[in-house]
């Protein structure tokens, strides 16, 4: 099949390129804009208690005041507010309300701090649009207006709250995307220049993947709209590195094999056809593993991950098609001139370092397997200290952003949980009015819960069937202590609810509590499903039942090593309270799925060498000799492109960038280069049971034992196996 694909695109390169250009113009011109949502509650399905509580609040208290933005005032000299300052705050609050800013429903004064140094203006926005870009736009207008109104006073004012956080997150995301895009571009360009010393080869993947990126983004926007998926600004940053990182991987897989076939004496067009025929299956299998792993995210209960899975799967699918059609068409059209001005493509360097590494694995497979396995095992010990944090807002932007400064200052000036109180909604089970005489005792029980600063009955709906108890926690809403405390509040709210009533606990801490539960569900569901599906792909590729088990086990060790190293660096080294809650899920899929690419490339090459008639140890050494440069180049570029996420300047992308880049480096330079080939060499022919995919094909053994030229195989055999290049025969 892959030979037929290669033959079609190489024989008709112009038509292939034109088809891609037409598709790009059509999709980009008609694709809808990609929406964005930063409301954490939108990540959860309606079955969770915090979402049920939010829906009840909308019905029972449609006009209830929930601030979306908070203006925090303090004197410029840091002293206590004077009577004149208090009058200025009241005036600013009144005038702000008269402006009738879009999305703003109500502007009211808030409580001053106990130390008299801070005052508040609370702004309520349309709850139906929570987390939407239009509320971030409203926050921008509010921030400008409130600062303008404070001019000429002794007051310094900052805008915080969820809408302001969405605005700052949006700005931070744009800056981060720009830095990631530039960093990715520079890394790919410089690395390819160093590897090939050919300017055209360095620029070509950037141009081609840029075209693929435009098509992928358009298709993702279509899918997001068609299936009503949630979008998040962080996805755009991840897409950049996935498209350029994975796209460059597949480009390198093909170009290295193309160069090898040219060195073996193939005519240029035939060399590309052979390259597609021989590496196409590995690329398709590698992409299939990544796509299936990403699609496993649709099993997630979190809207953020549900949208990310299909989006990334679409991106990799388009990249796969480009790797098998667009890239071969363009390169075959240019021919060997693509390597200009370098002439090193004509023959393999003598005493190449990967040949030496291959000989080392061939001679000492036990030592190699034990040493590389121990490295992975020791790093995995760090997972024992893993802790999750749920503050997505502060995790996705620098602490210096204005909304984050407001959050920190409010925690010091007020009760830490004052900015996002917890609400307990007590409702009549039979629709009759509640017995109000039980309210004080119920509020007292809620207030006595460990971790609660105070609790009070705030309001009752007009029918008297639902009461709202405001519970202020001692801790900021997203902290572990707040999440633990809200769990205790739930227990008391449910168990001590008066007879004939039902209780629901809402608020941000309750949402984070449910997100914690949802993530735990995802660990138990997404991880094993993705692992099983990847094993199926490996089994189909290798026609083996044995190999997929130790390959997926090695990738699992790579995941453990990555998470362990991330815990040690960010939790133990930098003092973070925890890692962002979705990091292990994302890390698992990137490290396991993309890391499997390199295992697939190496094991597929090892099988080809074995089919040439080589014994397991020799086949492992030769596989490392020939596939090693590809894996090293692809692994370095992909790890480096993910590392550019650390330039974004926020905790989420910094942790994600380090973890994924480290995981890919481990997958490329430890697992696929040493652990996998040495283990396969030790297991021997049994690794391919029951398919015996490593058995020499007819005519191949002679080639391995010293026959000259590429023509020692029949035409059919040459399609199914890879003859080593001339230098390989010397080795």
């Amino acid at each position: 099949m892959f030979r037929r694909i290669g033959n079609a695109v190489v024989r008709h390169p112009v038509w292939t390129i034109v088809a891609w250009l037409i598709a790009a113009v059509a999709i980009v011109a008609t694709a809808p804009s990609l929406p964005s949502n930063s409301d954490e509650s939108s990540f959860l399905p309606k079955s969770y208690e915090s979402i049920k509580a939010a829906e009840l609040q909308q019905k029972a208290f449609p006009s209830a005041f929930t601030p979306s933005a908070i203006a925090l005032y303090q004197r410029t000299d840091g002293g206590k507010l004077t009577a004149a300052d208090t009058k200025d705050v009241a005036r600013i609050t009144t005038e702000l309300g008269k402006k009738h800013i879009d999305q703003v429903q109500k502007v009211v004064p808030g409580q001053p701090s106990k130390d008299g140094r801070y005052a508040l203006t609370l702004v309520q926005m349309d709850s139906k649009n929570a987390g939407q870009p239009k509320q971030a736009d409203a926050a921008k207008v509010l921030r400008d207006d409130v600062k303008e109104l404070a001019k000429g006073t002794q007051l310094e004012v900052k805008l915080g709250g969820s809408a302001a956080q969405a605005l700052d997150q949006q700005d931070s995301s744009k800056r981060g995307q720009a830095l990631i895009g530039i960093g990715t571009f520079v890394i790919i360009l410089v690395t390819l220049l160093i590897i090939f010393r050919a300017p055209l080869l360095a620029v070509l993947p950037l141009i081609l993947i840029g075209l693929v990126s435009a098509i992928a983004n358009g298709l993702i926007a279509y899918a997001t709209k068609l299936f009503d998926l949630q979008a998040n600004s962080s996805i755009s940053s991840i897409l950049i590195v996935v498209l350029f990182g994975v796209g460059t991987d597949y480009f390198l897989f093909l170009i290295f094999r193309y160069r090898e076939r040219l060195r073996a004496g193939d005519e240029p067009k035939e060399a590309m056809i052979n390259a597609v025929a021989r590496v196409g299956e590995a690329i398709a299998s590698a992409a299939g593993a990544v796509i299936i792993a990403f699609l496993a995210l649709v099993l997630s209960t979190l809207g953020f991950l549900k949208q990310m899975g299909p989006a990334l799967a679409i991106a990799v699918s388009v990249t796969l098609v480009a790797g098998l059609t667009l890239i071969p068409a363009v390169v075959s059209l240019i021919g060997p001139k693509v390597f200009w001005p370098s002439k090193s493509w004509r023959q393999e360097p003598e005493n190449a370092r990967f040949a030496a590494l291959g000989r080392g694995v061939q001679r000492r497979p036990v030592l190699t397997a034990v040493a590389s396995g121990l490295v992975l095992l020791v790093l995995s010990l760090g997972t024992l200290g893993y802790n999750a944090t749920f503050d997505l807002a502060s995790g996705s932007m620098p602490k210096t952003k204005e909304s984050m400064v407001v959050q920190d200052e409010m925690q010091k000036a007020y009760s830490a949980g004052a900015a996002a109180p917890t609400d307990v909604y007590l409702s009549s089970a039979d629709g009759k009015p509640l017995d109000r005489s039980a309210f004080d005792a119920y509020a007292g029980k809620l207030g006595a819960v460990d971790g609660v600063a105070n609790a009070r009955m705030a309001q009752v709906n007009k029918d008297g069937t639902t009461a709202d108890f405001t519970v202020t926690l001692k801790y900021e809403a997203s902290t572990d202590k707040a999440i633990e405390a809200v769990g205790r509040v739930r227990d008391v709210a449910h168990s001590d609810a008066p007879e004939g009533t039902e209780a629901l606990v809402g608020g941000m801490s309750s949402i984070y509590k449910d997100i914690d539960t949802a993530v735990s569900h995802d660990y138990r569901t997404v991880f094993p499903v993705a692992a099983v599906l990847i094993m199926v792909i490996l089994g189909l590729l290798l026609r083996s039942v044995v190999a997929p088990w130790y390959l997926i086990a090695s990738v699992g060790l790579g995941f453990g090593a990555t998470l362990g190293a991330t815990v040690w660096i960010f939790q133990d080294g930098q003092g973070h309270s925890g890692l962002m809650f979705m990091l292990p899920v994302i890390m698992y899929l990137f490290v396991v799925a993309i890391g499997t690419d390199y295992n697939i490339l190496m094991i597929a090459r090892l099988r080809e060498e074995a089919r040439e008639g080589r014994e397991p140890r020799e086949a492992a050494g030769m596989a490392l000799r020939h596939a090693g440069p590809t894996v090293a180049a692809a692994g370095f570029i992909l790890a480096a492109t993910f590392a550019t996420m650390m330039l974004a300047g926020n905790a989420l992308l910094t942790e994600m960038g380090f973890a994924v880049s480290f995981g890919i480096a481990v997958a490329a330079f430890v697992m696929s280069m040493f652990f996998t080939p040495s283990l396969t060499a030790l297991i021997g022919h049994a690794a391919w049971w029951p398919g015996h995919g490593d058995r020499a094909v007819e005519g191949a053994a002679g080639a391995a034992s010293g026959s000259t030229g590429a023509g020692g195989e029949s035409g059919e055999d040459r399609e199914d196996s890879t003859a080593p290049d001339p230098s390989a025969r010397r080795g």
Side-chain angles (χ1 to χ4, degrees):
M1 181 181 77
F2 295 104
R3 173 167 287 277
R4 287 195 293 271
I5 292 172
N7 190 66
V9 299
V10 169
R11 301 303 178 195
H12 306 285
V14 175
W15 286 112
T16 303
I17 296 166
V18 168
W20 271 92
L21 291 174
I22 292 172
V25 171
I27 291 170
V28 172
T30 59
S33 60
L34 188 65
S36 182
N37 196 333
S38 58
D39 179 21
E40 284 90 343
S41 65
S42 68
F43 297 168
L44 291 166
K46 294 181 179 180
S47 59
Y48 281 85
E49 181 169 352
S50 59
I51 307 305
K52 289 180 180 178
E55 291 177 343
L56 176 60
Q57 182 257 319
Q58 288 291 322
K59 294 176 183 177
F61 308 103
S63 60
F65 192 90
T66 304
S68 298
I70 301 170
L72 179 68
Y73 305 88
Q74 67 180 122
R75 283 184 60 83
T76 52
D77 60 9
K80 290 187 177 183
L81 298 175
T82 65
D85 296 330
T86 303
K87 285 183 180 180
D88 285 330
V89 171
R91 173 185 59 79
I92 293 169
T93 302
T94 302
E95 292 185 20
L96 204 58
K98 290 178 180 178
K99 288 183 176 290
H100 302 295
I101 298 167
D102 180 47
Q103 296 296 308
V104 174
Q105 295 179 328
K106 195 182 294 183
V107 182
V108 300
Q111 293 291 323
S113 63
K114 291 180 180 179
D115 61 9
R117 295 173 57 210
Y118 295 89
L120 303 173
T121 292
L122 307 178
V123 181
Q124 182 181 21
M125 295 188 187
D126 187 351
S127 60
K128 294 178 183 177
N129 295 319
Q132 297 298 327
K134 59 179 69 177
Q135 293 207 346
D137 295 339
K140 188 177 191 312
V141 176
L142 275 169
R143 182 172 282 171
D144 293 340
D145 286 354
V146 77
K147 290 181 187 298
E148 184 66 31
L149 290 170
K151 283 184 177 178
T153 70
Q154 298 299 311
L155 296 171
E156 179 186 6
V157 58
K158 303 183 189 75
L159 192 76
S162 59
Q165 288 176 353
L167 172 64
D168 290 341
Q169 188 176 2
Q170 193 179 83
D171 292 342
S172 179
S173 176
K174 288 178 182 176
R175 174 182 175 275
Q177 284 181 42
L179 289 171
I180 289 168
I182 293 169
T184 299
F185 184 91
V186 170
I187 285 168
I188 293 174
L189 188 67
V190 171
T191 307
L192 291 179
L193 275 173
I194 292 171
I195 293 171
F196 294 108
R197 299 178 180 84
L200 189 55
L201 261 185
V203 173
L204 197 58
L206 296 171
I207 297 171
L208 298 181
I209 297 165
L211 177 66
V212 171
S213 175
I215 294 174
N217 276 293
L219 293 176
I220 289 165
Y222 272 122
T224 301
K225 185 176 181 179
L226 182 63
F227 298 106
D228 193 28
L229 300 170
Q230 298 290 343
N232 185 276
S233 55
S234 296
I235 291 176
S236 298
S237 301
I238 297 169
L239 274 174
I240 292 172
V241 291
V242 168
L243 282 164
F244 280 88
V246 173
T248 305
D249 267 11
Y250 298 161
F251 180 85
L252 287 171
F253 289 1
L254 195 67
I255 292 299
F256 271 99
R257 186 57 69 98
Y258 175 59
R259 185 178 68 178
E260 183 180 327
R261 296 314 309 161
L262 288 173
R263 286 173 174 173
D266 288 0
E267 181 270 330
K269 287 191 179 296
E270 190 63 28
M272 180 55 74
I273 293 171
N274 282 333
V276 175
R278 300 182 181 202
V279 85
E281 186 180 23
I283 291 176
S285 300
V290 177
I291 291 165
I292 282 181
F294 286 159
L295 285 177
L297 283 175
V298 300
L299 300 174
S300 170
T301 48
L302 295 175
F304 169 74
L305 294 177
K306 273 182 179 290
Q307 196 273 346
M308 180 185 287
L312 297 178
I314 289 169
V316 176
S317 298
V318 177
T319 308
L320 166 63
V321 176
L324 296 177
T325 59
L326 179 62
I327 294 172
V330 172
V331 174
S332 66
L333 197 62
I334 300 170
K337 291 179 182 177
V338 76
F339 295 104
W340 181 88
S342 174
K343 296 179 181 177
S344 61
W345 62 271
R346 295 178 179 175
Q347 60 183 19
E348 182 185 15
E350 294 291 337
N351 300 317
R353 62 180 63 89
F354 287 98
L357 289 174
R359 288 193 295 271
V361 170
Q362 179 178 337
R363 292 168 184 165
R364 300 180 182 84
V366 175
L367 178 62
T368 304
V370 171
S372 54
L374 277 176
V375 168
L376 299 175
L377 199 59
V378 170
L379 288 173
S380 297
L381 295 176
T383 59
L384 300 175
Y386 168 72
N387 189 42
T389 183
F390 296 86
D391 189 359
L392 188 60
S394 64
S396 58
M397 69 184 103
K399 292 287 187 182
T400 53
K401 284 289 185 181
E402 187 170 325
S403 58
M404 291 295 96
V405 174
V406 170
Q407 179 175 292
D408 291 342
E409 290 184 351
M410 282 193 66
Q411 287 183 42
K412 297 172 186 174
Y414 297 82
S415 171
T422 296
D423 289 287
V424 178
Y425 298 102
L426 191 67
S427 298
S428 171
D430 55 11
K432 295 179 180 179
L434 294 166
D435 178 9
R436 301 192 180 208
S437 64
F439 286 176
D440 288 344
Y442 189 61
K445 289 176 181 177
L446 293 173
V449 173
D450 182 27
V452 172
N454 60 74
R456 61 184 176 84
M457 202 288 290
Q459 57 186 329
V460 180
N461 70 336
K462 62 181 181 180
D463 297 329
T465 55
T466 301
D468 175 12
F469 293 82
T470 299
V471 178
T472 303
L473 302 178
K474 295 178 180 178
Y475 318 107
E476 196 275 320
S478 64
T479 60
D480 292 338
K481 290 184 177 179
I483 293 168
E484 291 170 2
V486 87
R488 293 190 290 269
V489 168
R490 281 185 178 182
D491 292 340
V492 172
H494 297 158
S495 62
D496 291 349
E499 188 176 349
T501 65
E502 297 174 344
L504 289 172
V505 181
M508 288 309 302
S509 293
S510 185
I511 289 172
Y512 290 132
K513 175 73 175 173
D514 286 340
I515 288 177
D516 188 20
T517 303
V519 170
S520 297
H521 165 271
D522 291 349
Y523 290 165
R524 296 191 302 271
T525 306
V526 176
F527 283 21
V529 168
V532 168
L533 292 175
I534 291 173
M535 285 182 67
V536 169
I537 285 183
L538 289 170
L540 292 173
L541 168 69
L542 304 174
R543 285 78 167 171
S544 167
V545 172
V546 177
W549 284 99
Y550 69 81
L551 289 176
I552 204 70
S554 73
V555 175
L557 268 177
F559 167 77
T562 303
L563 182 57
T566 308
V567 167
W568 277 336
I569 287 175
F570 289 97
Q571 285 185 209
D572 300 336
Q574 297 189 10
H576 290 196
S577 60
L579 304 179
M580 292 306 297
F581 67 91
M582 79 278 279
L583 186 64
V585 176
I586 294 171
M587 187 192 308
Y588 176 87
L589 292 168
F590 278 100
V591 174
V592 171
I594 296 180
T596 302
D597 279 10
Y598 306 130
N599 262 348
I600 287 174
L601 188 70
M602 185 63 72
I603 203 77
R605 185 58 189 248
L606 195 152
R607 181 184 62 181
E608 290 180 10
E609 296 296 340
R611 282 178 169 181
E612 295 292 335
R614 295 184 171 88
E615 286 303 307
R617 292 193 179 196
E618 185 187 3
M622 294 304 296
L624 180 54
R625 174 179 184 167
H626 291 295
T630 311
V631 169
F636 174 80
I637 289 176
L638 190 58
T641 53
F642 271 103
T644 61
M645 295 172 74
M646 298 172 70
L647 300 173
N650 66 64
L652 173 61
L653 292 179
T654 298
E655 291 175 2
M656 193 184 299
F658 170 81
V660 177
S661 61
F662 183 86
I664 288 169
V666 166
F669 295 99
V670 180
M671 284 192 307
S672 66
M673 274 199 199
F674 299 106
F675 193 66
T676 296
S678 60
L679 210 56
T680 306
L682 288 173
I683 296 172
H685 295 296
W688 308 95
W689 184 87
H692 305 298
D694 65 328
R695 297 305 186 189
V697 293
E698 186 179 348
S705 62
S707 65
T708 59
E713 302 169 57
S714 68
E716 185 65 26
D717 290 337
R718 282 177 54 85
E719 290 186 21
D720 295 333
S721 64
T722 300
D725 64 25
S727 62
R729 293 187 181 91
R730 288 195 301 273

